[in-house]
């Protein structure tokens, strides 16, 4: 089958993304150990089984007292109390605080019966069994009431919440060792091209190493998916077909290919994709990464037909990564149950002019430098879509809208920083 390049629809990034996202929905829930929930979305409401803290306790190291005993105390007029017990966190007092007495108490220890306030060590001086208190205090001062953080029966975390370290701490505090979250999508990754060899293979004349499978797999991990590496497909119908089918057999929720979606003579990828499912080939008004394939592949897996969405990235290493950011990232997040797909951007001042003539949205690789007048975006050298080093040197992408024809140095642009964390956006 032959495709005429000018027949491919030309779409904006938003139009392409909207079409892509129609194919994705949150996956099913699974119950996993609490630490494995990081970056994932809660599939159940979390109800507090008890108060946190479970008992009133002291917020300071000091003495548990009856506030009335210290009325009128001051730097030159201390009140003297008898210390009847020494209480560490984790233990209950054996005695009651009565007028004229105090219990020495450590942060977190439960308030003894009879006491209604805690005077910190800094305001006291102990001498044997007596303590002089140099300040008056209010009832309840330095006391943390039961349930001040979380009340029993309260919905502490709602279904749909994205889990960060603080939610993990809360789940632990509430006694949830396992939690229902949306499962992580399995994303199969296939490189295509007769010129490609894998990391450890000898680099024979005419060959280059497969970079995209690894950068894309790392992006899958970064956004919370599970990468399945399908290797390198030769530019032949048989090899491509076999590997794509293998991806489906391995339970992929999404297939990502790189290469073979532009207009080169050897781009059998398009023919195979079209034969194995329903695929559209688009030209997206973006740079790098104009060609994009999207649709679904159907194959028989153990007698049952399985249909899996496919995203076909361009082959150039920068294009493959930028296209992933724009299209695969939101798809993966949608499958993870994340609702806010917007990637945060902030304003930066361009240090260099950007030559323009093509009406495409440019995603230029920049270093982000904090200076007195704000963040500056400094281009990382050659911006060719094959220059992976422009990504390596950069902190993020500066976005040059398609409708700007003149972009002088000093222009304020939106910059999208790359992520540092694994499993979190
Ligand atoms: P294609 O889209 O297949 O025409 O490839 C465009 C360019 O990207 C060519 O120079 C390819 O050699 C290169 N390329 C394709 N796939 C990869 C890959 N997995 N790793 C590194 N470069 C690639
Ligand atoms: Mg190719």
């Amino acid at each position: 089958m032959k495709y005429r390049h000018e027949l491919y629809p030309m779409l904006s990034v938003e139009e392409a993304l909207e079409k892509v996202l129609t194919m994705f929905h949150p996956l099913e829930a699974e119950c996993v150990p609490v630490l494995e929930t990081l970056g994932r979305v809660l599939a159940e409401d979390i109800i507090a089984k008890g108060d946190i803290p479970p008992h009133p306790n002291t917020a300071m190291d000091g003495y548990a007292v009856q506030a009335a005993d210290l009325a009128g105390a001051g730097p030159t007029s201390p009140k003297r109390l008898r210390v009847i017990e020494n209480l560490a966190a984790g233990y209950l007092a054996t005695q009651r605080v009565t007028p004229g007495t105090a219990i020495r108490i450590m942060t977190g220890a439960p308030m003894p019966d009879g006491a209604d306030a805690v005077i910190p060590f800094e305001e006291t001086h102990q001498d044997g069994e007596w303590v002089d208190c140099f300040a008056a205090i209010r009832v309840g001062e330095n006391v943390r009431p039961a349930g001040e953080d979380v009340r029993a029966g309260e919905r502490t975390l709602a279904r749909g919440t994205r889990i960060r370290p603080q939610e993990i701490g809360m789940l632990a505090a509430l006694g949830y060792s396992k939690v229902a979250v949306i499962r992580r999508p399995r994303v199969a990754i296939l490189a295509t091209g007769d010129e490609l060899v894998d990391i450890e293979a000898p680099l024979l004349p005419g060959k280059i190493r497969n970079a995209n499978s690894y950068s894309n797999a790392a992006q899958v991990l970064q956004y919370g998916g599970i990468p399945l590496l399908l290797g390198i497909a030769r530019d032949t119908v048989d090899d491509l077909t076999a590997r794509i089918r293998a991806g489906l057999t391995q339970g992929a929720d999404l297939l990502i290919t790189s290469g073979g979606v532009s207009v080169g003579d050897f781009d059998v990828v398009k023919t195979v994709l079209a034969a194995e499912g329903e695929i559209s080939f688009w030209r997206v008004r973006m740079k790098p990464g104009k060609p994009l394939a999207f649709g679904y592949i159907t194959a028989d897996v153990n007698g049952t037909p399985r249909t899996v969405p496919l995203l076909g990235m361009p082959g150039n290493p920068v294009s493959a990564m930028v296209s992933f950011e724009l299209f695969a990232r939101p798809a993966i997040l949608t499958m993870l149950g994340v609702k806010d797909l917007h990637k945060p951007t902030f304003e930066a001042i361009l240090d260099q002019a950007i030559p323009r003539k093509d009406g495409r949205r440019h995603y230029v690789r920049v270093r982000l430098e904090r200076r007195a007048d704000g963040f500056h975006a400094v281009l990382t050298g050659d911006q060719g879509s094959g220059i992976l080093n422009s990504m390596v040197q950069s902190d993020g992408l500066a976005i040059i809208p398609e409708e700007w024809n003149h972009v002088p140095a000093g222009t304020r642009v939106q910059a999208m920083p790359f992520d540092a964390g694994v499993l979190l956006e």
Side-chain angles (χ1 to χ4, degrees):
M1 203 184 305
K2 278 279 173 207
Y3 293 87
R4 293 228 335 273
H5 149 251
E6 60 274 21
L7 294 181
Y8 297 174
M10 176 76 112
L11 303 174
S12 68
V13 171
E14 285 73 22
E15 286 165 339
L17 181 59
E18 200 185 308
K19 287 176 189 286
V20 166
L21 288 180
T22 57
M23 287 288 288
F24 294 92
H25 306 281
L27 301 174
E28 325 81 70
E30 62 178 358
C31 205
V32 301
V34 68
L35 257 187
E36 286 171 32
T37 65
L38 184 64
R40 296 169 68 178
V41 170
L42 263 181
E44 59 175 333
D45 283 336
I46 299 295
I47 310 293
K49 290 172 255 184
D51 282 344
I52 299 181
H55 42 71
N57 67 96
T58 174
M60 300 283 281
D61 295 330
Y63 297 87
V65 300
Q66 295 192 347
D69 274 351
L70 303 189
T76 55
S77 53
K79 298 281 177 184
R80 175 162 277 216
L81 300 172
R82 195 162 61 81
V83 181
I84 57 171
E85 197 172 337
N86 192 359
L87 187 63
Y91 300 93
L92 298 177
T94 58
Q95 296 180 74
R96 206 184 150 78
V97 171
T98 52
T101 69
I103 288 181
R104 192 178 154 93
I105 191 169
M106 304 307 140
T107 304
M111 283 300 284
D113 288 342
D116 58 17
V118 171
I119 179 159
F121 281 154
E122 293 81 342
E123 317 271 16
T124 64
H125 177 76
Q126 188 171 354
D127 184 10
E129 66 170 329
W130 297 99
V131 62
D132 288 324
C133 303
F134 295 92
I137 53 174
R138 281 175 286 107
V139 170
E141 205 164 331
N142 300 318
V143 177
R144 304 188 283 213
E148 78 165 358
D149 189 4
V150 174
R151 288 232 164 263
E154 163 185 303
R155 187 176 70 166
T156 316
L157 301 173
R159 178 195 181 97
T161 301
R162 185 119 192 244
I163 306 284
R164 299 166 299 169
Q166 48 269 57
E167 280 78 29
I168 291 198
M170 180 60 84
L171 288 164
L174 291 169
Y176 282 82
S177 60
K178 289 192 145 199
V179 189
V181 289
I182 306 288
R183 76 173 171 85
R184 297 169 65 186
R186 295 162 75 82
V187 182
I189 296 178
L190 181 61
T192 72
D194 283 355
E195 75 278 31
L196 300 178
V197 298
D198 219 323
I199 298 185
E200 289 187 320
L203 196 60
L204 298 175
K207 307 294 180 185
I208 59 165
R209 288 197 207 284
N210 169 18
N212 297 349
S213 289
Y214 294 92
S215 49
N216 283 163
Q219 288 174 300
V220 168
L221 276 174
Q222 190 166 39
Y223 295 125
I226 301 169
L228 306 172
L229 290 175
L230 302 182
I232 301 164
R234 298 299 150 211
D235 288 320
T236 66
V237 170
D238 286 352
D239 196 26
L240 265 161
T241 309
R243 285 178 191 270
I244 285 174
R245 289 185 181 162
L248 268 68
T249 328
Q250 291 175 42
D253 299 297
L254 166 64
L255 275 172
I256 290 184
T257 62
S258 63
V261 292
S262 56
V263 288
D265 284 342
F266 299 97
D267 292 340
V268 290
V269 178
K270 286 180 287 194
T271 316
V272 170
L273 297 185
E276 296 291 300
E278 280 196 36
I279 305 286
S280 309
F281 299 95
W282 302 328
R283 285 175 299 153
V284 183
R285 271 190 291 273
M286 61 184 276
K287 183 181 169 178
K290 181 163 66 175
L292 188 76
F294 179 67
Y296 58 86
I297 295 288
T298 304
D300 201 73
V301 178
N302 304 326
T304 325
R306 246 177 78 75
T307 295
V308 175
L310 176 139
L311 259 172
M313 307 291 180
N316 276 306
V318 179
S319 311
M321 287 197 75
V322 172
S323 302
F324 188 106
E325 277 290 321
L326 296 180
F327 303 111
R329 172 188 167 277
I332 290 172
L333 293 181
T334 299
M335 287 190 279
L336 271 172
V338 174
K339 282 177 206 79
D340 183 8
L341 304 178
H342 178 77
K343 186 152 185 166
T345 58
F346 62 89
E347 193 179 81
I349 302 164
L350 270 180
D351 254 23
Q352 292 108 313
I354 296 188
R356 309 262 305 171
K357 45 187 169 316
D358 57 6
R360 288 152 72 186
R361 187 178 306 173
H362 287 203
Y363 292 88
V364 290
R365 275 74 73 204
V366 293
R367 251 186 2 258
L368 295 164
E369 290 180 5
R370 190 198 295 269
R371 300 204 196 131
D373 57 346
F375 274 98
H376 280 246
V378 183
L379 264 64
T380 54
D382 187 341
Q383 295 287 309
S385 56
I387 308 293
L388 193 49
N389 216 9
S390 70
M391 291 290 281
V392 171
Q393 303 296 328
S394 69
D395 302 313
L397 302 172
I399 305 165
I400 315 296
E402 44 272 56
E403 57 277 9
W404 291 6
N405 290 317
H406 178 60
V407 189
T411 304
R412 288 176 185 272
V413 293
Q414 289 299 308
M416 187 192 275
F418 294 131
D419 307 294
V422 168
L423 272 179
L424 285 175
E425 336 158 60

